[in-house]
Amino acid sequence: MDPLPRKLLAITILCALWAAVVLVAFVPVEKDAVVGSYRLHSSWFLQKEARPARIDLDKDGELRVYADHGEVTLRAKWWWDAAEGFLRSDARELDRRIRGYHGWTGTTLYWRLAPSFDYGEELEMQRLDR
């Protein structure tokens, strides 16, 4: 095989991969993709941090936060801001606390440990209803 067709094939493959990465990274997350039940991924070094045991995001816009013993600690209304990639809520402590983006395996959500943007530590939210 001549070197020129090999180079063209390599450039074509690289361009296709680049287009796939751009598509995955910049397509906004839609509300239907985040509806479901989640638990927070536990990190061994964050065991003492206060965090919910489970979070339910209903299709009708209701959000429920559960404690370890199964009691609902917070109910609120929620909506998805696709332009920003954040969950918005009428509960101030939850507004913009959950963010999402498209990854190679689908939509991934993250829970910011502190309600303010000053503390950026986040935990991955693992979907329970798949």
Side-chain angles (χ1 to χ4, degrees):
M1 190 175 206
D2 207 12
L4 185 60
R6 286 184 187 174
K7 288 180 183 177
L8 289 175
L9 179 62
I11 290 171
T12 303
I13 291 171
L14 286 175
C15 287
L17 287 173
W18 177 80
V21 167
V22 168
L23 181 67
V24 167
F26 293 108
V27 172
V29 175
E30 298 297 326
K31 179 182 178 179
D32 291 341
V34 300
V35 170
S37 295
Y38 298 87
R39 70 179 173 87
L40 300 179
H41 176 69
S42 297
S43 298
W44 63 270
F45 58 90
L46 292 172
Q47 293 299 321
K48 302 214 186 253
E49 291 286 334
R51 59 184 178 268
R54 192 174 97 212
I55 302 157
D56 290 344
L57 304 173
D58 291 342
K59 191 174 233 172
D60 64 354
E62 183 180 32
L63 177 146
R64 289 180 304 283
V65 178
Y66 294 87
D68 286 331
H69 46 73
E71 177 184 330
V72 176
T73 58
L74 180 64
R75 287 181 191 268
K77 291 292 179 193
W78 73 277
W79 59 96
W80 187 255
D81 187 341
E84 290 186 9
F86 280 100
L87 180 134
R88 303 298 310 269
S89 176
D90 61 351
R92 185 178 180 153
E93 62 270 23
L94 294 178
D95 193 38
R96 290 190 175 104
R97 195 160 186 182
I98 297 173
R99 71 175 178 91
Y101 73 93
H102 284 292
W104 290 112
T105 60
T107 302
T108 305
L109 297 181
Y110 287 90
W111 172 274
R112 192 175 55 254
L113 288 175
S116 69
F117 279 99
D118 298 338
Y119 182 68
E121 189 69 38
E122 296 177 331
L123 293 177
E124 183 177 345
M125 296 173 65
Q126 296 176 334
R127 194 169 194 136
L128 298 174
D129 53 3
R130 281 193 188 184

